[in-house]
Amino acid sequence: MSVNLPNALTIFRIVLIPLYLYVFFSGLPYHLEIALGILLVAGLTDIADGYIARKHKLVTTFGVMMDPLADKLMMLAVIASFFLTERISVWATLFFFARDVAMIGVAAVFHFRGKKTVPANAYGKLTTVLLYLVIPLVMYRYPYSEAILWSVIAFSFIASAIYLGKFRLLNKT
């Protein structure tokens, strides 16, 4: 398999996950700022790879599967780091993990059964943007940051239900 630029950016985002975790837990000076910078780079490369893939017709099966997986793995790493540093509750962590792990599992099962996949929709993209906006609030322990995170988690469940509904319609044969 040859790797095009969007796929290389997706792979790069996956490589950023352990780097984020290392920096976040390192205790280095400015470790939170550096960790947040890593997340910003991940978010920007996510936007860039999707734009480049669509504009230059470089959409691949690898990209369709790995791009959302890279996003979910990064967010799972962030949520885990927040839980382990007691920035969020076990319940917020469990709901977040349950939703993302379920989405990864469902996507994998459907992919390997040869079902048509639904591209990311506006609700899923909005969920990602909202997560990136709430991350600094939780990271720096702003008041009510977990309540705001809960609203994003609730919205993510709505986005998932819409996605699954579209998937069922697309594969209703």
Side-chain angles (χ1 to χ4, degrees), residues 19 31 35 44 74 91 103 121 135 138-139 143 152 162 165:
L19 180 61
H31 70 280
L44 292 173
M74 178 60 88
W91 289 109
M103 290 299 290
N121 61 37
I135 284 171
V138 175
M139 188 176 281
V152 175
I162 292 168

Side-chain angles (χ1 to χ4, degrees), residues 118-162:
V118 177
N121 61 37
Y123 298 106
K125 291 178 183 183
L126 180 56
T127 299
T128 301
V129 169
L130 292 172
L131 282 169
Y132 273 101
L133 291 174
V134 78
I135 284 171
L137 301 177
V138 175
M139 188 176 281
Y140 291 105
R141 301 175 192 246
Y142 282 99
Y144 308 107
S145 59
E146 186 170 337
I148 297 166
L149 176 63
W150 269 108
S151 66
V152 175
I153 292 170
F155 183 80
S156 76
F157 275 91
I158 294 166
S160 296
I162 292 168

Side-chain angles (χ1 to χ4, degrees), residues 3 7 26-27 74 87 125 169:
V3 177
N7 290 347
S26 71
M74 178 60 88
R87 285 171 164 78
K125 291 178 183 183
L169 284 174

Side-chain angles (χ1 to χ4, degrees), residues 11-43 45 70-88 93 96-97 131-132 134-141 149:
I11 293 166
F12 176 68
R13 278 203 331 278
I14 293 169
V15 170
L16 288 177
I17 296 167
L19 180 61
Y20 161 80
L21 291 169
Y22 171 77
V23 169
F24 183 86
F25 289 110
S26 71
L28 294 168
Y30 304 106
H31 70 280
L32 292 181
E33 290 79 7
I34 296 167
L36 196 55
I38 292 167
L39 291 173
L40 179 63
V41 169
T45 57
D71 297 339
K72 290 192 183 335
L73 291 175
M74 178 60 88
M75 286 302 138
L76 290 170
V78 170
I79 293 299
S81 69
F82 289 170
F83 170 70
L84 292 172
T85 56
E86 299 180 350
R87 285 171 164 78
I88 61 173
T93 305
F96 192 92
F97 266 70
L131 282 169
Y132 273 101
V134 78
I135 284 171
L137 301 177
V138 175
M139 188 176 281
Y140 291 105
R141 301 175 192 246
L149 176 63

